[in-house]
Amino acid sequence: MSSTTTHVCLTASVENEATTMHTPTLRPVSKLPDVGTNIFTVIGQLTYQHQAINLSQGAPNFPCDPKLVELTAEAMRAGHNQYAPMAGVLSLREALAHKVETLYGHTYHSGDEVTITASASEGLYASISALVHAGDEVIYFEPSFDSYAPIVRLQGAKPVPLKLTQPDFRIDWDELRDTINPKTRMIIINTPHNPSSQILDAADLDRLAELTRDTDIIVLSDEVYEHIVFDGNKHHGVASHPELAQRSIMVSSFGKSFHVTGWRIGYCLAPAALTEEIRKVHQFMMFSADTPMQHALATYMQDPSTYLGLSDLYQQKRDLLVSLLQDSPFELLPCAGSFFLLAKFGHFSSLSDSDFVQRMIRDYRVSAIPLSAFYTDGTDNRIVRFSFSKDEATLRAAAEALCSMKG
Ligand code: GLN
């Protein structure tokens, strides 16, 4: 039997000649043979190895509100330490439904349209895995967060990446229209966008609604940076578009909004028929998300200032980093939301973006993510992504090193 037809290939190990019984080495046929360790882990290790300042991973290096920690500790002391209900603690689902209705206008029923997941990443995985069938096509836009395409492939479906336009990273709606076909099961959007930091506007959502009208296409909308939108702009997500909301799943994250990315709690909002399918997968992936945090978040969110102040906080950080980098050799791209800033370096270095980042980490002790990591075809426009979800001292120290960079 050839190895292409077996699911597992066993080869005898010859490493230990002394053993009489050869130990077989299990070599599974990989489902993702071309996928390595993700970029955040690889760059994270390099950052640590060189003791560099970490502007790579989108994770705050400043503490969350001590009140949130206290509420979590209180929940633990009150005995909320066993499994939460599969769909999430009801008071948190109610708090979310209330928030979304107030901010975006759409009513999601806490009973059958709101699901608490163990991170937004789990929400994305459960949604794609529940609703995309083998042979389906899923359209998404690159550069993109790195998990979309592999999750689609694991369903035996085909990821169809369309490139965001340069230099403004907008969706080419005509190209999307020409790409949609009867196999298209899902379109994934992301606003505010990681890594480009651009946002969709109301006209974009209208265009998406128009292109999906009278189809059975599901829209998966990654809105984990929903509360980080700058310059007085509003967040336009699927919950603010009554027509799109009927065919969409909104995925978001408590980690991003409350500076607790290690807590791994997110949520999916979707019409009941979609939620029913998502929960079928969620119940077997995680069963339920961590319990004490859910109780704490439900109480914490009662005060809207806990999330409504986020745009101001991050706009100050964006403006600080932009002003500190004015004297650097980088050309900074506009940043409308999220906590990422793109910077071009092609005019002063001919290195690939991966080599450039390695050099930056090794010689200047600052890390970033090379933008090519967000393209399946490795497109390299000589751009790096900085995260400014860092305290002021970190941003100042990083900027000082970056200003001394030479070609
Ligand atoms: N979302 C974060 C980023 O883009 C981190 C993701 C991760 O580390 N898996 O940096």
Side-chain angles (χ1 to χ4, degrees):
M1 206 188 283
S2 85
S3 62
T4 51
T5 55
T6 51
H7 286 290
V8 178
C9 168
L10 294 174
T11 53
S13 166
V14 289
E15 273 166 23
N16 188 351
E17 298 289 346
T19 38
T20 44
M21 283 266 294
H22 288 283
T23 312
T25 302
L26 192 75
R27 293 200 198 288
V29 176
S30 177
K31 289 180 131 186
L32 298 170
D34 54 332
V35 170
T37 304
N38 77 58
I39 190 71
F40 306 108
T41 306
V42 171
I43 298 289
Q45 282 167 354
L46 266 182
T47 307
Y48 178 74
Q49 195 183 321
H50 292 276
Q51 293 296 293
I53 299 171
N54 193 345
L55 299 194
S56 58
Q57 197 178 33
N61 74 338
F62 47 88
C64 69
D65 186 346
K67 191 173 157 202
L68 187 53
V69 174
E70 191 44 46
L71 285 169
T72 305
E74 260 173 40
M76 288 176 169
R77 283 193 291 266
H80 294 300
N81 298 306
Q82 308 307 328
Y83 296 120
M86 184 270 277
V89 166
L90 185 60
S91 56
L92 181 57
R93 286 187 276 144
E94 284 170 350
L96 273 176
H98 176 70
K99 177 191 87 160
V100 169
E101 187 174 15
T102 309
L103 290 183
Y104 309 133
H106 190 78
T107 307
Y108 290 95
H109 298 287
S110 53
D112 55 4
E113 298 188 320
V114 180
T115 307
I116 310 300
T117 52
S119 77
S121 286
E122 196 238 331
L124 292 169
Y125 200 106
S127 301
I128 296 170
S129 148
L131 297 159
V132 172
H133 295 244
D136 286 346
E137 293 186 5
V138 175
I139 301 174
Y140 69 103
F141 303 92
E142 288 189 343
S144 82
F145 188 58
D146 63 344
S147 77
Y148 305 154
I151 302 173
V152 170
R153 288 171 58 197
L154 287 168
Q155 316 313 315
K158 184 179 167 198
V160 180
L162 299 184
K163 285 205 169 90
L164 294 170
T165 58
Q166 290 284 347
D168 51 1
F169 294 95
R170 298 202 64 81
I171 292 176
D172 181 339
W173 295 108
D174 292 337
E175 190 184 16
L176 176 64
R177 181 197 57 215
D178 296 343
T179 308
I180 289 173
N181 71 74
K183 286 189 174 168
T184 308
R185 163 75 43 228
M186 181 178 272
I187 297 172
I188 305 176
I189 57 171
N190 170 214
T191 185
H193 186 257
N194 177 12
S196 80
S197 79
Q198 293 309 301
I199 53 174
L200 297 181
D201 59 24
D204 288 316
L205 296 184
D206 283 344
R207 199 70 209 278
L208 182 59
E210 182 196 313
L211 292 179
T212 51
R213 195 169 293 148
D214 302 323
T215 72
D216 56 6
I217 296 171
I218 295 159
V219 172
L220 177 59
S221 186
D222 176 349
E223 301 182 26
V224 300
Y225 303 100
E226 63 178 312
H227 296 304
I228 312 176
V229 177
F230 306 136
D231 307 314
N233 285 311
K234 264 177 60 179
H235 172 61
H236 293 277
V238 289
S240 60
H241 197 286
E243 182 182 347
L244 273 183
Q246 300 303 331
R247 63 170 69 251
S248 300
I249 304 151
M250 173 186 174
V251 175
S252 193
S253 153
F254 294 105
K256 297 287 190 298
S257 298
F258 299 128
H259 321 308
V260 287
T261 59
W263 283 12
R264 317 308 291 136
I265 297 196
Y267 53 94
C268 288
L269 309 179
L274 297 180
T275 295
E276 188 181 344
E277 297 307 313
I278 294 167
R279 288 185 184 173
K280 286 180 191 173
V281 173
H282 165 69
Q283 67 186 343
F284 296 130
M285 276 181 83
M286 294 304 300
F287 179 64
S288 60
D290 292 355
T291 308
M293 284 77 169
Q294 293 194 54
H295 286 278
L297 288 163
T299 307
Y300 190 67
M301 280 181 61
Q302 300 301 327
D303 174 5
S305 72
T306 54
Y307 47 87
L308 294 182
L310 221 56
S311 291
D312 281 350
L313 174 83
Y314 278 113
Q315 185 166 326
Q316 280 170 26
K317 291 185 183 298
R318 177 200 66 174
D319 292 348
L320 176 67
L321 186 60
V322 168
S323 74
L324 292 170
L325 291 178
Q326 282 318 310
D327 293 332
S328 79
F330 290 97
E331 183 193 323
L332 306 179
L333 298 185
C335 167
S338 82
F339 41 54
F340 302 115
L341 179 66
L342 296 187
K344 288 192 167 198
F345 63 86
H347 51 286
F348 70 92
S349 169
S350 55
L351 292 176
S352 70
D353 64 0
S354 299
D355 287 347
F356 183 84
V357 163
Q358 286 188 40
R359 187 171 154 245
M360 216 167 74
I361 295 173
R362 203 185 51 232
D363 297 347
Y364 296 89
R365 302 269 158 84
V366 178
S367 67
I369 303 285
L371 203 70
S372 62
F374 299 100
Y375 287 94
T376 41
D377 68 0
T379 293
D380 181 358
N381 290 315
R382 299 216 172 85
I383 297 174
V384 293
R385 188 200 78 172
F386 294 117
S387 168
F388 51 84
S389 58
K390 310 296 166 186
D391 59 31
E392 186 175 331
T394 303
L395 294 175
R396 286 188 183 280
E400 193 181 332
L402 294 172
C403 284
S404 71
M405 269 195 104
K406 306 220 167 44

